[in-house]
């Protein structure tokens, strides 16, 4: 038998080592996950305005945004924190607006799903509709973020209430909630101009302090600022209603301030939520609905805003109680319009649906 030469063995061993190294190098991925994501043009999860990642599921309705040609309001369907569907529940209509809406809204809906954020391009020829769409879309994303971002009781949330229209101008409140308490309250809109400036400057700081002290919307009106106080309390309540159940905002149980109260004392208690829908603008005035939900059912429905003045007073007084009853009976927004109150009924159903969307219903 021929002996192998030592030098030959060394050469063969070296060749095998080099071949192994080359094989390992060939298995390295072509690009890292971050590069692949960047190549796809997607924003990182922390980007402002992006759909919140945290398992948000269900429908979320943005605020109605008034434009020069009519209201725009967007509803999102989300699954696992991602936008799976976008639709407009309100859009400008009548005359040329019908044509613009029909051509622009489907494109905006597609863009919202593709971008997973409100950072979308305006549709050419539909500037106002696009601007309103993006604003309502952003408010829907903000609501989804609020519902997913406060799982820990120490996490601070910033919640902006709906705009409350008063005789002297709009009032809108923004609050910061941390550890189940209101830590800050501010008015982002308040009546202004003429004597309103003086009334606002004197009353709003006192209302802000009262909101923090009470931890709810059960605060006293400021003397001489009745309308501003009423609007402030209404917007404050809607901000509290937007705090997610179990998210640490169940302050002032029994006083109407919190969005979530424990009913019963066992480990499997039923959560009671008070949810205020978005304001629905109708031909005869705004309609806004507040509901109480317990055990997945509507236990109470009420209209916090409804058309008023002249014949509207009579229509409201006869239709709203029937709509409230129908909402509780149906447990959803699929209720019949009240005869003779078509516009009020439509606005009621729209606001009711937005309240249910906040509950994930």
């Amino acid at each position: 038998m021929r002996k192998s030469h030592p030098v030959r063995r060394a050469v063969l061993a070296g060749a095998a080592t080099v071949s192994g190294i080359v094989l390992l190098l060939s298995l390295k991925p072509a690009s890292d996950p971050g590069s692949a994501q960047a190549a796809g043009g997607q924003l990182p999860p922390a980007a402002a305005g992006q759909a919140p990642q945290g398992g948000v599921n269900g429908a979320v309705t943005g605020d109605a945004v008034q434009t020069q040609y009519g209201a725009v309001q967007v509803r999102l369907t989300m699954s696992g924190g991602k936008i799976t569907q976008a639709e407009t529940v309100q859009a400008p209509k009548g005359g040329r607006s019908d044509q613009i809406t029909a051509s622009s809204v489907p494109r905006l809906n597609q863009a919202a799903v593709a971008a997973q954020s409100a950072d979308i391009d305006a549709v050419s020829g539909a500037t106002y509709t696009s601007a309103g769409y993006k604003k309502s879309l952003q408010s829907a994303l903000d609501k989804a973020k609020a519902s997913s971002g406060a799982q820990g009781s120490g996490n601070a949330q910033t919640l902006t209430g709906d705009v409350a229209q008063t005789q002297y101008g709009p009032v809108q409140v923004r609050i910061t909630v941390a550890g189940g308490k209101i830590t800050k309250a501010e008015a982002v809109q308040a009546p202004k101009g003429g004597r309103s400036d003086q009334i606002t400057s004197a009353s709003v700081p006192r209302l802000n302090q009262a909101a923090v002290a009470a931890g709810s919307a059960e605060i006293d009106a400021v003397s001489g600022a009745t309308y501003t106080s009423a609007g402030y309390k209404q917007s404050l309540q809607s901000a509290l209603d937007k705090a997610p159940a179990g998210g640490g905002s169940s302050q002032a149980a029994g006083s109407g301030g919190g969005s979530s109260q424990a009913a019963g004392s066992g480990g499997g208690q039923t959560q009671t939520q008070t949810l205020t829908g978005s304001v629905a603008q109708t031909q005869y005035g705004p309609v806004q609905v507040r509901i109480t939900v317990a055990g997945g059912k509507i236990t109470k429905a009420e209209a916090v805003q409804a058309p008023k003045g002249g014949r509207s007073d009579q229509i409201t007084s006869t239709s709203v109680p029937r709509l409230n009853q129908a909402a509780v009976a149906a447990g959803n927004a699929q209720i019949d319009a009240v005869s003779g109150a078509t516009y009020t009924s439509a606005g009621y159903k729209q606001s009711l649906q937005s309240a249910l969307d906040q509950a994930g219903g």
Side-chain angles (χ1 to χ4, degrees), residues 5-359:
H5 198 282
V7 174
R8 181 178 297 171
R9 286 202 304 269
V11 171
L12 291 173
T17 301
V18 171
S19 299
I21 293 172
V22 171
L23 179 61
L24 287 172
L25 290 175
S26 68
L27 296 175
K28 182 181 177 182
S31 60
D32 58 79
S35 300
Q37 185 179 44
Q42 295 180 353
L43 295 171
Q50 189 174 21
Q53 303 300 309
V56 180
N57 295 291
V60 184
T61 303
D63 295 332
V65 177
Q66 296 299 326
T67 76
Q68 186 172 328
Y69 297 99
V72 180
Q73 189 173 29
V74 180
R75 178 182 297 144
L76 302 177
T77 301
M78 306 191 72
S79 177
K82 294 183 178 181
I83 302 171
T84 58
Q85 182 181 2
E87 57 185 323
T88 52
V89 291
Q90 286 193 77
K93 57 186 177 181
R96 177 154 168 71
S97 292
D98 289 338
Q99 182 181 348
I100 294 173
T101 291
S103 62
S104 63
V105 163
R107 295 168 62 184
L108 291 166
N109 290 338
Q110 291 175 348
V113 175
Q116 293 292 308
S117 77
D119 187 17
I120 58 178
D121 292 332
V123 173
S124 178
T127 306
Y128 291 100
T129 297
S130 298
Y133 185 100
K134 292 170 68 175
K135 189 173 180 182
S136 183
L137 170 58
Q138 183 62 61
S139 75
L141 290 169
D142 290 342
K143 290 177 183 178
K145 183 178 179 181
S147 70
S148 67
Q151 271 69 13
S153 61
N155 287 356
Q157 291 176 269
T158 300
L159 303 163
T160 303
D162 296 330
V163 177
Q165 298 295 336
T166 76
Q167 187 172 328
Y168 297 100
V171 180
Q172 188 175 31
V173 179
R174 178 182 297 142
I175 58 173
T176 302
V177 178
K181 296 181 179 179
I182 301 175
T183 58
K184 182 181 179 182
E186 56 184 326
V188 291
Q189 287 193 69
K192 57 186 177 180
R195 177 155 169 71
S196 291
D197 289 337
Q198 182 181 346
I199 294 173
T200 292
S201 64
S203 63
V204 165
R206 294 169 62 183
L207 291 166
N208 290 337
Q209 290 175 347
V212 174
S216 76
E218 295 300 316
I219 57 178
D220 293 331
V222 173
S223 178
T226 306
Y227 291 100
T228 298
S229 298
Y232 186 100
K233 291 170 68 176
Q234 182 182 317
S235 184
L236 171 59
Q237 181 63 60
S238 75
L240 288 166
D241 291 343
K242 293 175 183 178
S249 58
S250 56
Q251 63 272 48
S255 62
S259 68
S260 154
Q261 295 175 327
S265 57
Q269 70 249 28
T270 300
Q271 293 293 323
T272 300
Q273 293 177 273
T274 301
L275 303 162
T276 303
S278 302
V279 177
Q281 297 295 334
T282 76
Q283 186 171 327
Y284 297 100
V287 179
Q288 189 175 30
V289 179
R290 179 181 297 145
I291 58 173
T292 302
V293 178
K297 296 181 179 180
I298 301 174
T299 58
K300 182 181 178 183
E302 57 185 324
V304 292
Q305 287 193 70
K308 56 186 177 181
R311 177 155 168 70
S312 291
D313 290 336
Q314 181 182 347
I315 294 174
T316 292
S317 64
T318 57
S319 63
V320 165
R322 293 170 61 184
L323 290 166
N324 290 337
Q325 291 176 347
V328 174
N332 58 42
Q334 299 304 312
I335 57 177
D336 293 331
V338 173
S339 178
T342 306
Y343 291 100
T344 298
S345 298
Y348 186 101
K349 292 169 67 176
Q350 181 182 314
S351 184
L352 172 58
Q353 183 62 59
S354 74
L356 288 168
D357 289 343
Q358 293 173 37

